[in-house]
Amino acid sequence: CEGDDDAYMGAREELETASLLTVRDGFCDKHRLLQQVVREAMSETDLQAQILVVQTVLHSEASKIDDDDPKTWLLCSQLDSHVSAWSSWAWQQGGKSMKGEDVLSLSAEMLRTVGAAYRHMGQYQAAHRLVSNALEWAKVLGVKHSEYLSTLNNMANIKGDQGDYEG
């Protein structure tokens, strides 16, 4: 969300004035209307490139979350909606515009990672929601895949923390 030229800065100021863009701490929050207009104006090649960028950035940020380091847990609330939206969108696409197992595994991993941090914060409802979604992704990889087993273990930990030893 950065640029130096006058055209970029002018467009950014106009979007911020219209409340279509908010810039905080180096992150850009774009209004859904702006996102839709940009998506419709993109060529298929540009869209594919943006998909890979979004996936890479989200995965990179999610990998910074350390279950044992409370300082990294704040990142959960910042990533939750983005990771959830990404995985929902990717699920709807059915993997058509993405590269097979990598997308499945990365999506499951991102959801599981953010969900595990919520578990450590005691936010079990949010943890359950994300890890349940991760489990759906991981099932597609197969019950013997390491991501499926890790995600299933996370779900067991969430349920165990809540005293649900049968669920």
Side-chain angles (χ1 to χ4, degrees):
C1 193
E2 296 181 13
D4 294 332
D5 63 14
D6 292 336
Y8 169 82
M9 292 308 292
R12 177 176 157 177
E13 286 174 14
E14 286 182 38
L15 291 170
E16 287 177 303
T17 301
S19 298
L20 294 173
L21 180 71
T22 307
V23 180
R24 285 187 310 254
D25 302 323
F27 287 98
C28 266
D29 288 328
K30 297 174 201 85
H31 188 278
R32 288 179 189 233
L33 176 63
L34 177 60
Q35 293 175 16
Q36 186 64 34
V37 168
V38 169
R39 234 185 335 267
E40 288 177 6
M42 281 185 168
S43 70
E44 187 63 28
T45 303
D46 289 341
L47 181 60
Q48 295 302 316
Q50 285 301 311
I51 289 168
L52 292 174
V53 168
V54 168
Q55 177 180 309
T56 302
V57 168
L58 285 176
H59 185 259
S60 173
E61 291 300 309
S63 67
K64 294 176 184 175
I65 297 172
D66 181 351
D67 292 351
D68 298 321
D69 183 2
K71 291 181 219 160
T72 67
W73 296 350
L74 179 59
L75 193 52
C76 286
S77 60
Q78 295 171 336
L79 285 177
D80 182 349
S81 63
H82 299 290
V83 168
S84 294
W86 159 257
S87 65
S88 176
W89 177 84
W91 187 268
Q92 290 171 359
Q93 298 302 307
K96 290 182 286 192
S97 55
M98 295 157 277
K99 305 273 189 283
E101 186 176 318
D102 288 346
V103 171
L104 296 172
S105 185
L106 286 174
S107 295
E109 180 186 347
M110 288 187 291
L111 289 163
R112 177 181 51 79
T113 300
V114 176
Y118 273 134
R119 173 188 158 243
H120 285 282
M121 291 188 295
Q123 296 184 19
Y124 297 113
Q125 201 168 24
H128 190 274
R129 174 180 50 83
L130 289 163
V131 175
S132 290
N133 289 341
L135 201 51
E136 289 303 312
W137 279 98
K139 282 178 185 175
V140 177
L141 293 165
V143 296
K144 293 184 179 180
H145 193 280
S146 63
E147 189 57 45
Y148 176 80
L149 298 172
S150 295
T151 304
L152 194 58
N153 182 59
N154 276 34
M155 183 58 78
N157 288 332
I158 291 167
K159 290 186 176 280
D161 286 354
Q162 298 177 86
D164 179 3
Y165 301 108
E166 295 178 22

